[in-house]
Amino acid sequence: MWGGRFEKGNSTDVIAFNESISFDKRLAKQDILGSLAHTKMLVHTQILSQAEGEQIINGLEKLQKKLLAGNLSFSSDYEDIHMNIETLLQQEIGPIAGKLHTARSRNDQTATDMHLFMKDEISQIINLLDHLLKVIVIKAEKNITTLLAGYTHLQHAQPISYAHYLMAYYEMFTRDLQRFKTAKASADDSPLGAAALAGTTFPINREFSAHELGFGKVYQNSIDAVSDRDYLLDFLSASATVMMHLSRFCEEIIQWNSYEYDYIEISDEYATGSSIMPQKKNPDVAELIRGKTGRVYGELFSLLTTLKGLPLAYDKDLQEDKEGVFDAIDTVKACLSLFAGMLETISVKKDKMAAALKDDFSNATEMADYLANKGLPFRQAHQVVGKLVHYGMEHHLPLQEMRLEQLQKFEPKIEADVYSILSPKKAVKRRISLGATGFTRVSEQIKRAQEKLFH
Ligand code: ARG
């Protein structure tokens, strides 16, 4: 393609090192679409004649059909997807194919392909997230009154509704959805027509080709158009965050599925056995999702590092943007889809969850609030209940099982009505502040989510 200036060809190891067709063949569909739009624009602006345009378009459409049928093969002799498609076009329609590259460069081409590709892939990820949100909300609705120990520092803190816990993840994944929408919006500028970096002397119409390709906007600076990879960073950063959320959720699933917690059971379809220990049922899927979070973080850092210190405009370093992004796409898609399936089929051991609240002193705050309501400053109430808990632990006696006289020795303001607020169910029910775990509040959260997701 550039033979004119050269006396010698590349050695085979240089060819192998330089090529990107082994991975950017994934952009074949977008590359043909970009060329179709570019050709239509060249005809529209009379840079190419109608007849020339028709020949090129026919050839590209043939390639498109072959690609769909799986009959297009690429070669590393032609370095990347752009040169492969152009070579195939030449084989299809002859030297007229050479007119396609008027007023464009591979620099705006690779950027155009990648923008189109990302818009498509991010839409798929948004759909997967939407499905996961639905799974969460359906599960939450079935578990509004399921009691669970709420933890801080991995210590029993206060009783909560299991649905409330699930809805916390609903909130996180809703923010992720927004982040992916933002990433998709940042891929919505068309770089096509920026050419190598400086624009072109041909009277092109960049809005025309952008419109053909479904872009909302065009880059306003041709140097930025070929150098910008922010939209990929937006995507990778949204990916890193959603993986972090999935990983936290998985960590809890792994723990809760253990013999020690025994709060849930992962369904057989999402667990694996051991080749030596017949009793084992391992949470491999959850562990792999947690594990794969690392590589997605790595891909974000890899691209940030690639970009750091790059002079404007295009440098070959930018070819390194693709493999990490492709891997992040595959990883995030697989993890979202598998996680949703795993969560949907997890069985919840409501009795075990409730049993963990029986004598864990997680109702101590109830007692402190009770005393504060009786007029004790909260700090003093905290002190009194702390002593009660200490006493209770020594005598293996939960607060609700202490006799009234015993309680009154610690604080005479305690009366018989104290017993009515000490059950975990009451503790949850009475928490009705905005966003709290109270059943009515959680029902409201679920209702709001249902209206958003199912209408
Ligand atoms: N394969 C290249 C990439 O992915 C395409 C652009 C090449 N441009 C160039 N001037 N060498 O970045």
Side-chain angles (χ1 to χ4, degrees):
M1 296 272 175
W2 52 63
R5 193 216 176 284
F6 285 75
E7 284 182 4
K8 290 184 196 158
N10 289 142
S11 62
T12 47
D13 51 351
V14 169
I15 292 172
F17 191 65
N18 201 35
E19 67 88 24
S20 56
I21 186 63
S22 56
F23 49 89
D24 67 13
K25 61 181 178 218
R26 222 170 140 160
L27 302 173
K29 181 179 133 196
Q30 288 75 16
D31 199 73
I32 297 172
L33 286 175
S35 289
L36 277 166
H38 183 65
T39 310
K40 287 176 191 165
M41 183 280 291
L42 291 175
V43 173
H44 175 78
T45 51
Q46 297 174 355
I47 298 167
L48 290 189
S49 73
Q50 196 78 34
E52 289 169 329
E54 266 166 31
Q55 280 188 68
I56 295 174
I57 287 168
N58 282 341
L60 287 169
E61 281 171 350
K62 273 190 199 144
L63 294 185
Q64 210 169 28
K65 281 203 190 97
K66 283 190 183 168
L67 178 73
L68 264 174
N71 292 333
L72 221 50
S73 52
F74 307 116
S75 156
S76 60
D77 290 348
Y78 308 115
E79 193 177 319
D80 58 22
I81 188 61
H82 323 298
M83 305 230 281
N84 267 272
I85 295 289
E86 203 180 317
T87 307
L88 289 164
L89 184 67
Q90 227 157 55
Q91 288 161 7
E92 203 72 57
I93 63 170
I96 186 85
K99 294 218 169 192
L100 170 60
H101 213 54
T102 313
R104 79 169 187 191
S105 151
R106 282 189 296 155
N107 298 351
D108 58 340
Q109 233 186 316
T110 188
T112 304
D113 293 4
M114 205 59 181
H115 278 74
L116 289 172
F117 181 78
M118 291 314 289
K119 282 175 67 181
D120 200 41
E121 292 290 337
I122 297 172
S123 297
Q124 293 176 42
I125 289 174
I126 288 172
N127 288 339
L128 288 168
L129 264 170
D130 184 69
H131 173 69
L132 174 58
L133 289 171
K134 285 176 178 151
V135 169
I136 290 174
V137 168
I138 290 167
K139 205 168 186 77
E141 201 192 11
K142 290 184 192 143
N143 284 287
I144 295 172
T145 57
T146 305
L147 298 174
L148 171 73
Y151 295 81
T152 61
H153 312 272
L154 209 54
Q155 306 277 324
H156 283 210
Q158 292 171 348
I160 57 171
S161 145
Y162 178 46
H164 189 221
Y165 159 91
L166 288 169
M167 291 305 286
Y169 280 104
Y170 167 85
E171 296 291 337
M172 293 177 237
F173 292 124
T174 300
R175 288 195 294 273
D176 288 323
L177 192 83
Q178 193 49 53
R179 273 183 275 271
F180 279 108
K181 283 185 178 166
T182 304
K184 191 177 159 189
S186 72
D188 198 32
D189 293 56
S190 171
L192 195 57
L197 78 160
T200 173
T201 54
F202 289 98
I204 59 167
N205 184 336
R206 291 188 54 212
E207 273 102 357
F208 184 94
S209 50
H211 182 77
E212 280 288 314
L213 292 169
F215 283 114
K217 292 172 281 166
V218 296
Y219 276 92
Q220 295 299 311
N221 180 303
S222 62
I223 300 172
D224 182 42
V226 292
S227 316
D228 174 36
R229 298 295 183 272
D230 294 359
Y231 68 106
L232 297 179
L233 292 176
D234 287 348
F235 165 75
L236 288 173
S237 137
S239 298
T241 308
V242 76
M243 288 302 297
M244 177 271 290
H245 290 149
L246 286 172
S247 184
R248 289 179 83 166
F249 210 156
C250 282
E251 168 67 16
E252 286 171 333
I253 287 172
I254 293 160
Q255 292 201 36
W256 293 11
N257 186 64
S258 70
Y259 181 78
E260 282 71 19
Y261 276 82
D262 202 23
Y263 285 175
I264 56 170
E265 184 170 351
I266 297 174
S267 126
D268 285 1
E269 305 147 84
Y270 291 92
T272 54
S274 154
S275 60
I276 171 167
M277 298 163 281
Q279 87 285 8
K280 290 274 274 190
K281 183 170 155 187
N282 294 328
D284 285 28
V285 172
E287 288 170 339
L288 268 176
I289 295 172
R290 187 179 59 186
K292 284 174 190 292
T293 303
R295 63 200 275 170
V296 177
Y297 286 8
E299 278 138 13
L300 170 62
F301 268 80
S302 164
L303 185 59
L304 279 168
T305 311
T306 299
L307 294 172
K308 176 183 173 297
L310 268 198
L312 297 177
Y314 180 86
D315 306 277
K316 191 71 176 226
D317 315 47
L318 290 172
Q319 180 167 288
E320 286 293 306
D321 65 353
K322 290 177 194 66
E323 285 162 290
V325 169
F326 292 162
D327 184 70
I329 290 170
D330 296 339
T331 305
V332 167
K333 278 162 83 174
C335 290
L336 281 172
S337 146
L338 281 158
F339 184 85
M342 177 174 67
L343 184 66
E344 205 171 4
T345 52
I346 275 175
S347 49
V348 180
K349 300 185 177 177
K350 298 186 183 190
D351 294 347
K352 290 282 173 65
M353 282 184 176
L357 289 161
K358 265 188 65 190
D359 44 19
D360 63 343
F361 294 96
S362 63
N363 54 359
T365 314
E366 307 313 306
M367 182 78 111
D369 285 353
Y370 169 88
L371 289 176
N373 270 316
K374 296 270 180 193
L376 247 66
F378 184 80
R379 285 285 163 233
Q380 199 184 326
H382 186 287
Q383 190 76 15
V384 171
V385 181
K387 285 187 178 140
L388 271 169
V389 170
H390 190 263
Y391 174 83
M393 282 180 161
E394 275 191 339
H395 297 85
H396 301 290
L397 201 56
L399 297 176
Q400 67 275 19
E401 281 171 31
M402 292 181 190
R403 282 178 297 107
L404 186 58
E405 304 84 82
Q406 265 173 323
L407 293 170
Q408 284 171 337
K409 274 190 205 142
F410 287 82
E411 175 49 59
K413 283 206 164 75
I414 299 177
E415 292 169 81
D417 59 352
V418 75
Y419 295 106
S420 70
I421 54 112
L422 289 177
S423 78
K425 190 172 170 191
K426 261 286 167 57
V428 175
K429 191 174 172 195
R430 294 177 68 235
R431 282 189 160 64
I432 51 167
S433 55
L434 199 155
T437 200
F439 305 124
T440 52
R441 284 304 200 178
V442 173
S443 301
E444 281 167 23
Q445 291 173 40
I446 293 174
K447 206 161 179 186
R448 262 198 308 277
Q450 284 169 330
E451 271 158 21
K452 233 169 109 180
L453 289 173
F454 297 103
H455 294 284

